Amino acid sequence: AQTVTQSQPEMSVQEAETVTLSCTYDTSENNYYLFWYKQPPSRQMILVIRQEAYKQQNATENRFSVNFQKAAKSFSLKISDSQLGDTAMYFCAFMKHGSGATNKLIFGTGTLLAVQP
Amino acid sequence: ETGVTQTPRHLVMGMTNKKSLKCEQHLGHNAMYWYKQSAKKPLELMFVYNFKEQTENNSVPSRFSPECPNSSHLFLHLHTLQPEDSALYLCASSPRGQGANIQYFGAGTRLSVL
């Protein structure tokens, strides 16, 4: 069974600074997807970034980038130039490739990020 | 706004009540999901529907009864719930093809069972 671990329940960063959120996972699969989702106080879960395990290049989306270390089963999220609107709960998630009809997402417990002015 | 709408936003019910949660998506997706989000715990997948057919029931108690009349609507019927069922219930949808692994979430229904 796959598991996702986020070891930082809470983090804080100053506006305009850079912060890194950690995520590790356990799987025996070779091909899979990894995600970071953001859940602001509005509660709507929003996709931040996605990584396909067969791609060695780290995914980037504007100020968000990941450090994907497949051998170490590590998938951290770096937020550059932090903004107040980045304040949210961040969830790391795993999906086995070819999940077919299920597309089952396995989530971590989340990291609450507070961006301070 | 992700295109997935859930109603109501908040719901308080007694253990003997019957209520329903509604989810609607206008994204043309064919798969829909129910998740339960409890404090300090990972999101738990409850049910998955593809083209209106249930393809996953993650050992959910029968007091939760899903219904998917078409690919755009998903309901979760609730009856004789327990206080430990209090949680945020999230609905999600996903498309076919290459984007099938990306799920789009609603804002959830905050359920309190008294």
Side-chain angles (χ1 to χ4, degrees):
Chain A
Q2 290 82 22
T3 58
V4 176
T5 301
Q6 293 179 251
S7 58
Q8 305 153 313
E10 296 183 25
M11 292 194 73
S12 181
V13 64
Q14 292 296 123
E15 199 173 5
E17 297 292 305
T18 295
V19 64
T20 299
L21 309 184
S22 301
C23 173
T24 59
Y25 58 94
D26 189 26
T27 185
S28 57
E29 301 289 330
N30 188 51
N31 207 1
Y32 47 86
Y33 301 97
L34 294 164
F35 306 83
W36 278 98
Y37 276 90
K38 164 186 176 181
Q39 188 178 38
S42 65
R43 303 187 328 211
Q44 193 136 42
M45 196 86 74
I46 301 163
L47 178 66
V48 174
I49 202 164
R50 178 185 66 161
Q51 175 79 41
E52 297 170 67
Y54 67 88
K55 290 186 177 178
Q56 293 185 339
Q57 187 173 7
N58 289 324
T60 62
E61 285 288 341
N62 300 314
R63 298 183 294 107
F64 299 88
S65 62
V66 297
N67 184 1
F68 173 49
Q69 302 289 328
K70 192 172 184 179
K73 295 179 182 174
S74 170
F75 183 61
S76 60
L77 175 69
K78 185 170 83 171
I79 306 174
S80 303
D81 186 25
S82 297
Q83 300 175 1
L84 296 178
D86 295 333
T87 293
M89 183 73 88
Y90 287 80
F91 292 95
C92 179
F94 170 100
M95 181 188 290
K96 189 169 64 172
H97 186 268
S99 296
T102 301
N103 281 341
K104 189 170 184 175
L105 272 172
I106 310 295
F107 284 89
T109 50
T111 296
L112 181 60
L113 176 67
V115 180
Q116 308 292 342
Chain B
E1 182 58 51
T2 62
V4 180
T5 304
Q6 290 188 243
T7 54
R9 289 270 293 173
H10 303 273
L11 178 62
V12 179
M13 59 186 290
M15 289 191 283
T16 57
N17 291 160
K18 289 185 180 181
K19 297 285 185 184
S20 295
L21 310 185
K22 180 182 176 182
C23 176
E24 187 172 2
Q25 56 95 1
H26 299 286
L27 301 170
H29 294 169
N30 63 276
M32 297 188 78
Y33 312 77
W34 279 118
Y35 287 88
K36 177 183 179 182
Q37 185 177 14
S38 305
K40 311 278 189 207
K41 293 174 69 175
L43 272 78
E44 302 169 57
L45 178 66
M46 300 174 72
F47 301 103
V48 181
Y49 278 82
N50 273 279
F51 292 105
K52 304 186 296 178
E53 299 297 319
Q54 189 181 113
T55 52
E56 175 97 6
N57 177 338
N58 202 22
S59 304
V60 180
S62 59
R63 58 186 183 269
F64 294 91
S65 175
E67 179 190 1
C68 189
N70 54 60
S71 293
S72 298
H73 294 86
L74 183 65
F75 296 89
L76 189 62
H77 303 300
L78 316 171
H79 63 97
T80 59
L81 294 191
Q82 305 298 309
E84 60 265 28
D85 297 322
S86 297
L88 181 66
Y89 288 85
L90 292 169
C91 172
S93 69
S94 65
R96 296 187 65 185
Q98 203 165 16
N101 53 70
I102 298 176
Q103 295 180 18
Y104 297 79
F105 286 81
T109 295
R110 173 74 65 190
L111 174 67
S112 298
V113 181
L114 304 178

